[in-house]
Structure formats: structure tokens, C-alpha cells
Amino acid sequence: MSSSSGLLANELKCSVCMDVFTDPVSTPCGHNFCKSCLNQCWDNSQNCYCSFCKETFKVVQPFQKKFSLSKSEVLCDICDERRHKALKSCLLCQASYCKTHLDLHQRVLSLKKHKLMDPVENMKDYICQKHERPLELFCRDDQTYVCVFCTDGDHKTHNTVPLEEESKEKKTQKDVQQMIQDKNKKIQDIIYFTELGKKSTEREKAASAELFSDLMRSIERCLADLLEMMEEKQKAAVKQVIQELQQEITELKMRNTELDHLLHTEDHLQLLQIDPSLCSPPHTRNWPEISMDTDVSVETLRRALTQLQETLDQKLSQTVKSISNTALLRRMQQYAVDVTLDPDTVHPILILSNDGKQVRHGDIEHGVPDYPERFDKCASVLGKEGFLSGRFYFEVQLKGKAGWNLGVARESINRKGKIRVSPQNGFWVLGLWNENEYWACTDVLLSLRMKPQKVGFFVDYEEGLVSFYDVESRSHIYSFTAQSFTIRICPYVCPFSNDTGKNSAPLIISPVNYNE
């Protein structure tokens, strides 16, 4: 009898706290634990595993799944025809409401006392099964959600706090941990890409310098041979010599043009493998075969050589700059995100594609609900996706457009009436007016060498940086620096009016092509 009692006592003990089970739960492998003990083990680990036999498995804690609030797919329970997105859910009414139908809960005194929360789908999961009351409290001792009546029973002496307080504390702790991870990752990124960029730049610069040095040495040898033979040659051959020099210079320029083209169309790290002919000096004349008179101006030839040297040095500088811009753009593209335009914010005169990737001016306003988030004067639209931290990048195709405004904006911007795009008003925008006038937030006039056909937008939330890039030419256009972001940032798109067909093309959110 004593032995059986001992075995029974052991069966009723948790292998983590070595005490009798409190709110026991079982793992898929069949072992039992206190719910709070198992929760603590899993909170401190990236994997879910049995603390007794160490078997690893994928398990989502029931209460975590139950109380993960998401409002993206929850619709209003009161709307008749087109059901709008729910803004809040009421625990007492057991229903979710859009902004319009939530009005009674904000005006009627008795309804103001109801418990509102972020919208959820299964309201019964937020009701205490024992007391049929809303789960408004969190028991920190048992790590579970309870109602008010539970605090008079099993949880009477436990440490219980309002659900909002617990959620806020956990969110703050999570945000701090995420911030630390982001900062450490940023430091590692800076160290890695600094070293990588330094090695790549030095390697490419050395290869380019060697290539141009070979070209210069070849010409210098020809010139030296030419000067040695000047006293024995006839004056009639002067023009021929100069023509030959000019022809070689022209060939060098053509080769540099080809090099420049390759740098803009191929991966610069594979350039020498793609076109090995660029590594060898050009063919030159056998200058001793040409006769000249001593009256030839040596200074004229020396000036031609000096000019060629300056041209090659300039081309080398442009090559290194092009390589640097390419590496920088590809670094930005690593943070590409999928942007979709939000139909609830689009101005009634704009036409949005079904997939939310294209928008154009329609000339005629459509009958749509006047949501608070919808633009009513400025023909604009925001992206569905918003960002509260980190870095993100997206690209917009501008082909055929004579005017537009593009960039990012605070989620809290004013969307009613006339709008002036400026950082003070929550806009960081690049714009094209009158087909060839480029501006940054209406204040800074930009001078661009070529008309961008696709623009990339990069944002570093913590650094307060918004940068614009010409994707095809891999060149930087403009940056807003040292900005202060404290709330959600969203993509912002304004296609401007049709202008009698001159600006009818759509603005297109295009996928990032890493091989461009």
C-alpha cells in the first residue's frame, strides 16, 4: 500500500517544479507538466520540446493562439451588403463593429461601459467557460487569462492584472529585445558590407588601373619610337602620323564606351570574364615604318597624349563610381517588401487595379463610401503595408508618365481637403511636374541627367533616412536625412491628372529585379 501511494504521488508531480500539478497539461509525447512550468520552458527557447524526454515538436500554446489579436481579416457583423473591416469587438455584445456601427458604443452611456478590444473572429474564445464572463484579466501566477469572477475562486490570492497592462508590458519588453537585435544586426551589416565594399572597390580599381596603364604604355612606346625617327623622315608623312594617332584615340574612346555600356548592363564582378578583349592593349601601328620631317611639333603630340591620359583617368573614376552605385543599390534591394495599395484610402477619381499594384487617373469620380481614411481632394492613395521599425525598399515604374508624386507618408496624415507635401506635414516625397521638373517635397528643385523610368524607394526607420534611386542608371537621386519617425510609415502614390491623355499611363508597383 505504501509503495502504491508513492508511485501515485510521483505520477501527480511535475518534473519541472517537482510539486503536485497545477493546471496540468500534456505534451504530444505523453508526459505531463504544470501549464505555467511548460510555458516558462518554451518562453526561454526557440523550439518547443518535452522537458522530460527532450523530444522536439511544433506546438502552439492554446492560450497564445487564442489571444493573438488580428484585425486584418475581421469584418463588421452589422453591415448588410458590403461588410467593412471591423474597428473594435465588444466582449459583452459578442459582436464586431466597423467605424460606422461602433458609433452607438461611443455615444450611448450604457454602451460606453462595455469592454471593447481589437477586432477578433471567434468571440467565444474570449469568454470564461466557467462563469460566462469576459476574460478581462491575466493571472501572472498561472500565466492564463481569467474573468472577474475567477478572482473570487481559484485565483483569489493570485497576482492578476488587467489584460491591457499585461499586453503593454509584454509588448514593451518585446520591443526592447527587438531593438537590441536590430542594433546588433545593423552593426554586423555595417562591418560586413564595409569590408566587402572595400575589397570589391580595391579589386576593381586595381584591375581597371592595370588595363588603362597597359594602354598608356603601348602609346608611349609608339611615341618614343616616333620621336627617334623624326630626323630621318619626310614632312609629307606628318599628316598621316597625326591621322593614325587620332584613329587610335578614337578606338580607345570606343572601347571605353563599350566598357561603360557593360558596366551598366552586366555584373561588374564578371566583367573581365564576359569580355576578355578589354584586358589587352589595342592594336597600334609600327611607327618606325612611317617617315617624318624634323619640323613636326613634338609639343602637339605630347598635348594629345596628355589629353588622352586625362580622359582615361576620368573614365577610371567613373568606372569605380558606377561599381559603387551598383553595389549600394543591390544592398538596398535586399530589404525589398511586397507593397499593395489600400482601396479604402484611394481617392474616388482614381482607378485601382484588382491586385492593388497599379493606379491611374480616371477623370470621373466613382461612388464609394467616404471613409475617414480616404483622400477626398488630393488624388492619392496609401499602401496597405505600414512599417514601425527596420528598413524597407520598393520600386515604382514611371514609364509614360509626365507628372507624379511618390514616396512615403505618416499613417496619421491629413487626408481631407488640400494637402501640401512636406516633412513637417508627414510626407517625404519625390515629384515630377510639367514633364521635366523634378522636386523633392515642393522645396528642392532637382537637376537629373536622364529621366528615370523606374524609381526605388529606401527607408531606414531608426536612422530617419528616406532615399530615392534611379534603378536603371543605378544612380542616387535624393535623400531626406536625420528625420524623426515615431509612428507607422506607409508608401504614398499620387499619379496626377490625365492632362488630356499626356499623363494617362498608370503608376505600377513593380517587383524587384535583382539582376537589372
Side-chain angles (χ1 to χ4, degrees):
M1 186 73 177
S2 175
S3 175
S4 298
S5 299
L7 291 174
L8 180 61
N10 289 332
E11 291 293 329
L12 296 178
K13 285 186 178 181
C14 172
S15 61
V16 176
C17 65
M18 301 306 295
D19 204 346
V20 178
F21 290 123
T22 301
D23 196 6
V25 293
S26 297
T27 57
C29 58
H31 297 113
N32 303 317
F33 304 92
C34 297
K35 185 177 182 180
S36 59
C37 293
L38 191 60
N39 181 49
Q40 291 176 2
C41 292
W42 289 355
D43 282 346
N44 297 325
S45 174
Q46 296 181 350
N47 299 317
C48 298
Y49 63 93
C50 175
S51 299
F52 186 81
C53 67
K54 306 304 180 182
E55 178 180 349
T56 301
F57 40 79
K58 295 182 178 179
V59 178
V60 179
Q61 298 184 33
F63 70 88
Q64 287 182 335
K65 179 179 180 181
K66 183 184 295 183
F67 291 95
S68 59
L69 307 179
S70 173
K71 61 182 181 180
S72 59
E73 300 298 332
V74 181
L75 302 178
C76 178
D77 293 324
I78 310 300
C79 292
D80 293 331
E81 296 180 357
R82 180 189 174 190
R83 297 180 64 190
H84 298 140
K85 291 191 297 186
L87 187 63
K88 291 290 183 180
S89 295
C90 178
L91 287 175
L92 294 180
C93 298
Q94 293 289 287
S96 299
Y97 303 98
C98 65
K99 182 174 181 61
T100 301
H101 293 111
L102 187 65
D103 183 61
L104 288 177
H105 278 76
Q106 297 173 337
R107 291 191 295 103
V108 179
L109 182 61
S110 59
L111 295 180
K112 285 184 177 181
K113 298 179 181 180
H114 286 195
K115 181 66 176 179
L116 298 177
M117 61 188 297
D118 288 338
V120 292
E121 290 183 345
N122 301 318
M123 294 298 299
K124 65 179 182 178
D125 291 342
Y126 300 85
I127 301 299
C128 178
Q129 300 301 313
K130 183 176 182 181
H131 302 108
E132 296 185 355
R133 296 287 296 175
L135 295 169
E136 302 177 275
L137 303 172
F138 182 79
C139 177
R140 289 181 171 174
D141 292 347
D142 293 341
Q143 292 290 298
T144 188
Y145 295 86
V146 298
C147 71
V148 175
F149 290 170
C150 290
T151 58
D152 293 331
D154 298 339
H155 302 271
K156 185 174 183 179
T157 61
H158 293 183
N159 179 17
T160 58
V161 295
L163 188 61
E164 294 84 356
E165 180 180 337
E166 178 67 15
S167 298
K168 182 177 181 181
E169 181 177 324
K170 286 189 175 182
K171 183 179 183 302
T172 302
Q173 183 180 8
K174 183 178 179 180
D175 289 345
V176 171
Q177 293 174 349
Q178 185 62 43
M179 188 180 300
I180 294 174
Q181 293 177 4
D182 290 343
K183 293 297 182 183
N184 287 334
K185 186 177 184 303
K186 185 177 294 185
I187 293 174
Q188 295 173 359
D189 286 349
I190 292 174
I191 295 175
Y192 174 75
F193 284 103
T194 298
E195 291 299 323
L196 183 62
K198 182 180 178 181
K199 293 179 180 178
S200 177
T201 300
E202 290 178 351
R203 183 168 57 252
E204 296 299 326
K205 184 176 179 181
S208 299
E210 183 177 356
L211 171 62
F212 292 126
S213 295
D214 289 342
L215 297 176
M216 289 304 303
R217 283 194 294 269
S218 176
I219 296 176
E220 288 173 353
R221 286 195 300 268
C222 293
L223 182 59
D225 293 341
L226 176 64
L227 295 176
E228 289 179 1
M229 300 297 298
M230 283 177 61
E231 294 181 356
E232 302 175 2
K233 304 302 178 181
Q234 300 296 321
K235 186 175 182 179
V238 172
K239 291 184 179 181
Q240 180 183 354
V241 173
I242 294 177
Q243 289 174 354
E244 293 292 340
L245 278 174
Q246 290 175 341
Q247 181 180 353
E248 288 191 13
I249 292 174
T250 300
E251 291 177 357
L252 288 173
K253 290 181 178 179
M254 292 176 61
R255 180 162 299 193
N256 286 332
T257 299
E258 183 182 0
L259 174 62
D260 185 73
H261 174 71
L262 286 174
L263 285 171
H264 286 80
T265 57
E266 303 290 348
D267 188 343
H268 64 278
L269 296 178
Q270 300 176 357
L271 176 61
L272 299 181
Q273 298 176 359
I274 294 173
D275 194 355
S277 65
L278 294 177
C279 300
S280 59
H283 174 71
T284 59
R285 285 290 305 272
N286 186 9
W287 293 109
E289 296 175 358
I290 301 176
S291 60
M292 292 186 59
D293 191 76
T294 56
D295 293 336
V296 174
S297 174
V298 178
E299 185 61 29
T300 299
L301 297 176
R302 292 192 184 277
R303 282 199 301 268
L305 183 60
T306 301
Q307 182 179 1
L308 179 59
Q309 177 70 62
E310 293 174 352
T311 301
L312 295 179
D313 289 343
Q314 182 180 7
K315 179 61 66 175
L316 177 59
S317 176
Q318 293 174 352
T319 300
V320 175
K321 183 177 180 181
S322 175
I323 293 171
S324 177
N325 286 340
T326 299
L328 178 60
L329 181 59
R330 291 183 178 176
R331 173 71 177 91
M332 301 298 100
Q333 289 176 333
Q334 293 182 3
Y335 298 94
V337 295
D338 184 17
V339 172
T340 304
L341 300 178
D342 188 357
D344 288 344
T345 67
V346 66
H347 187 280
I349 206 169
L350 297 182
I351 299 176
L352 189 63
S353 63
N354 293 334
D355 61 359
K357 299 294 186 181
Q358 301 185 27
V359 62
R360 61 183 177 87
H361 197 278
D363 286 335
I364 301 175
E365 290 193 5
H366 307 279
V368 293
D370 185 17
Y371 297 141
E373 57 267 35
R374 190 183 301 283
F375 291 92
D376 67 348
K377 295 294 183 184
C378 181
S380 305
V381 60
L382 291 180
K384 280 186 179 180
E385 299 78 11
F387 304 87
L388 276 170
S389 63
R391 304 167 182 171
F392 64 95
Y393 173 90
F394 64 98
E395 294 179 355
V396 179
Q397 182 175 313
L398 316 171
K399 189 175 182 179
K401 296 295 292 180
W404 42 263
N405 272 348
L406 296 169
V408 294
R410 286 198 296 258
E411 191 180 42
S412 62
I413 57 171
N414 175 36
R415 308 178 193 186
K416 306 298 181 183
K418 293 184 178 180
I419 295 174
R420 184 176 186 272
V421 291
S422 67
Q424 293 75 20
N425 294 334
F427 294 85
W428 294 269
V429 171
L430 182 72
L432 169 62
W433 303 344
N434 301 324
E435 298 189 25
N436 57 10
E437 296 179 9
Y438 291 89
W439 296 80
C441 272
T442 73
D443 296 325
V444 182
L445 177 63
L446 304 175
S447 178
L448 304 185
R449 292 185 303 172
M450 59 183 64
K451 187 173 185 178
Q453 299 300 306
K454 183 184 292 186
V455 173
F457 303 83
F458 175 73
V459 177
D460 189 324
Y461 192 97
E462 283 75 19
E463 293 297 329
L465 172 67
V466 180
S467 292
F468 307 90
Y469 293 85
D470 184 339
V471 176
E472 293 184 354
S473 67
R474 296 180 176 88
S475 60
H476 173 257
I477 299 176
Y478 187 81
S479 289
F480 294 96
T481 59
Q483 304 299 305
S484 178
F485 301 141
T486 57
I487 61 177
R488 193 179 303 274
I489 300 297
C490 301
Y492 170 80
V493 176
C494 176
F496 280 13
S497 65
N498 277 346
D499 193 15
T500 64
K502 295 181 180 179
N503 195 39
S504 60
L507 290 172
I508 303 174
I509 307 295
S510 60
V512 175
N513 185 356
Y514 298 94
N515 295 321
E516 279 190 339

